[in-house]
Amino acid sequence: MNSFVMIQPALLQYCFEDSQPTPVLLDSCSLKPDVILLMDDFFHVVIWRGEKIQAWYDKGYHELEEYANFKTLLQAPANDAKQILGDRFPVPKFIQCNAGGSQARFVTSKVNPSNGGMGGQ
């Protein structure tokens, strides 16, 4: 299984519409502003936040009681990443980034640019 992940990274989408993570295409159309992605390429485990999710995080919505569902959405990929990091040897590098950030290159370098650019817009 680990060899397969090295060749074809796994990309999971977390969003408000689905209670469970959903596998998505390793394609730029998956880079949406209102989702969180978890990418596992064996050597790196990356949590990527879309622009809208990152803006809500920056405003501190996850700390407000009335936005408990947003806090839950943020915790789901973090919990899954923690499990991957705990189970794998050698331990992959963990990266948390957002759309447009310098560390986002770990995700954007792996996706196919289906729409001629990055960002899935």
Side-chain angles (χ1 to χ4, degrees):
M1 187 65 178
N2 288 337
S3 298
F4 182 69
V5 172
M6 282 185 221
I7 296 167
Q8 177 68 42
L11 190 62
L12 296 174
Q13 174 181 285
Y14 299 79
C15 64
F16 289 113
E17 289 82 32
D18 297 319
S19 60
Q20 296 294 317
T22 307
V24 292
L25 295 173
L26 201 59
D27 196 280
S28 62
C29 67
S30 299
L31 303 175
K32 299 175 185 173
D34 59 346
V35 301
I36 300 173
L37 298 176
L38 174 66
M39 187 189 76
D40 178 8
D41 72 358
F42 186 78
F43 302 105
H44 305 95
V45 173
V46 183
I47 294 177
W48 178 92
R49 295 180 187 149
E51 295 93 347
K52 189 181 290 186
I53 298 292
Q54 186 63 40
W56 292 343
Y57 180 83
D58 292 342
K59 291 179 181 178
Y61 289 167
H62 61 290
E63 297 170 352
L64 302 174
E65 193 174 308
E66 60 267 24
Y67 294 101
N69 60 338
F70 181 56
K71 184 175 183 176
T72 302
L73 179 67
L74 291 173
Q75 289 174 337
N79 293 340
D80 291 348
K82 186 176 181 181
Q83 182 177 357
I84 293 168
L85 296 169
D87 292 344
R88 185 168 302 146
F89 183 80
V91 177
K93 182 177 180 180
F94 175 70
I95 300 160
Q96 190 160 331
C97 61
N98 59 297
S102 65
Q103 298 292 309
R105 69 183 182 276
F106 286 97
V107 174
T108 56
S109 68
K110 300 283 183 185
V111 298
N112 295 323
S114 69
N115 63 358
M118 295 300 164
Q121 295 152 2

